[in-house]
Amino acid sequence: MTALSPQSSVLSPDASSGLVINNVTKEYPTPAEPLVVLRGVSFSLAPGDRLAIVGPSGSGKSTLLNILGTLDAPTAGTVTLNGVDPFSLSAKELAKFRGSRVGFVFQDHHLLPQCNALENVLIARLASGGVNKLDADRAAELLQQVGLRDRATHLPAELSGGERQRVAIARALMNSPQLVLCDEPTGNLDTHTGRIIGELLTRLAAQSQAILVAVTHSAALAEMFPRKMGMVDGKLT
Ligand code: ADP
Ligand code: MG
């Protein structure tokens, strides 16, 4: 395991490829002084890099992940993914950017209860228009890769927690994203299932050369990542 210096530049020799985070801060206004949640976060990751960020509850992990995934904007600082600053895009371009370049896996699977496993993976395609035969084939292939070939027509209620999270991983990878973000992906799972999910995530992300960033308070999950950073009170350590 190698530690990663927060300011490391070795990881991204070329700023136009990979994920570059520079001095990101996030504050929320309050009636008194602003609540500062992120205090100048900087790092760079190259395609294929896998990073776990570990820290206690309330340290700002989800806030950082949401900014990396463009679900939330920083108060200051910059984010670029393969040379594109998503926060300079129009709302429409930003939605397209997020849908095509970023995959999310949350603690809770966020599957649609009325859709079966295959349909839930295909949901990822809806934002980009219709779903065709090739999409259906790819979704079925991804379900096979996460070990759920025989569960394609099962509803989420008919799947175990670990199986639901595998569907969520397949959905996150459906559009071949450049960046896969995971927020406590094993937080609802037992240790054994969590290990299986962690292995799947790291293997499939490596296979597609996506950048994988997971935030977690699980030391066991973080151990599976070649690179680790700590987050304490809005700062990387
Ligand atoms: P973690 O994921 O590490 O548990 P979060 O990023 O969710 O931490 O939250 C960090 C801090 O930011 C917490 O104190 C939380 O209350 C605060 N926070 C998060 N989102 C908001 C928001 N939308 N408005 C105000 N405060 C927020
Ligand atoms: Mg969180």
Side-chain angles (χ1 to χ4, degrees):
M1 297 294 161
T2 51
L4 177 67
S5 128
Q7 306 290 344
S8 174
S9 58
V10 255
L11 297 174
S12 187
D14 174 7
S16 68
S17 81
L19 176 67
V20 183
I21 311 302
N22 191 30
N23 212 15
V24 162
T25 64
K26 182 69 180 179
E27 300 179 4
Y28 291 106
T30 73
E33 62 212 28
L35 173 68
V36 184
V37 177
L38 296 177
R39 303 167 189 273
V41 174
S42 303
F43 61 85
S44 306
L45 295 170
D49 278 346
R50 283 166 283 143
L51 168 70
I53 298 175
V54 191
S57 182
S59 58
K61 303 184 301 296
S62 294
T63 302
L64 175 63
L65 208 73
N66 289 343
I67 290 172
L68 301 185
T70 76
L71 295 171
D72 201 357
T75 304
T78 57
V79 175
T80 45
L81 179 60
N82 293 336
V84 178
D85 171 2
F87 299 109
S88 69
L89 302 174
S90 69
K92 196 177 162 191
E93 289 169 333
L94 180 62
K96 191 172 166 213
F97 176 95
R98 187 187 303 127
S100 61
R101 299 200 188 200
V102 188
F104 294 93
V105 178
F106 298 98
Q107 176 168 358
D108 178 56
H109 50 80
H110 290 290
L111 301 180
L112 295 181
Q114 71 275 31
C115 293
N116 68 31
L118 186 77
E119 291 161 347
N120 266 292
V121 178
L122 282 169
I123 295 281
R125 297 295 302 150
L126 289 184
S128 53
V131 165
N132 61 33
K133 174 78 168 66
L134 281 179
D135 296 326
D137 290 347
R138 172 159 173 78
E141 164 68 21
L142 281 164
L143 281 180
Q144 165 148 19
Q145 286 183 24
V146 299
L148 291 179
R149 194 179 60 163
D150 302 335
R151 300 286 200 283
T153 60
H154 286 222
L155 296 174
E158 299 165 343
L159 298 169
S160 71
E163 288 167 345
R164 286 179 207 146
Q165 204 58 321
R166 290 198 236 173
V167 177
I169 292 171
R171 179 187 54 193
L173 297 173
M174 180 66 198
N175 291 336
S176 305
Q178 297 162 348
L179 176 62
V180 177
L181 301 173
C182 311
D183 193 344
E184 304 282 5
T186 62
N188 290 348
L189 305 174
D190 61 75
T191 311
H192 173 70
T193 310
R195 177 146 30 86
I196 292 171
I197 291 297
E199 281 166 3
L200 254 181
L201 265 174
T202 51
R203 178 162 57 78
L204 294 180
Q207 208 170 296
S208 65
Q209 280 295 293
I211 297 170
L212 178 64
V213 182
V215 302
T216 181
H217 56 249
S218 162
L221 179 67
E223 277 307 313
M224 295 178 192
F225 284 69
R227 303 204 161 99
K228 283 174 285 178
M229 292 192 230
M231 176 161 273
V232 179
D233 196 20
K235 285 196 110 150
L236 289 177
T237 55

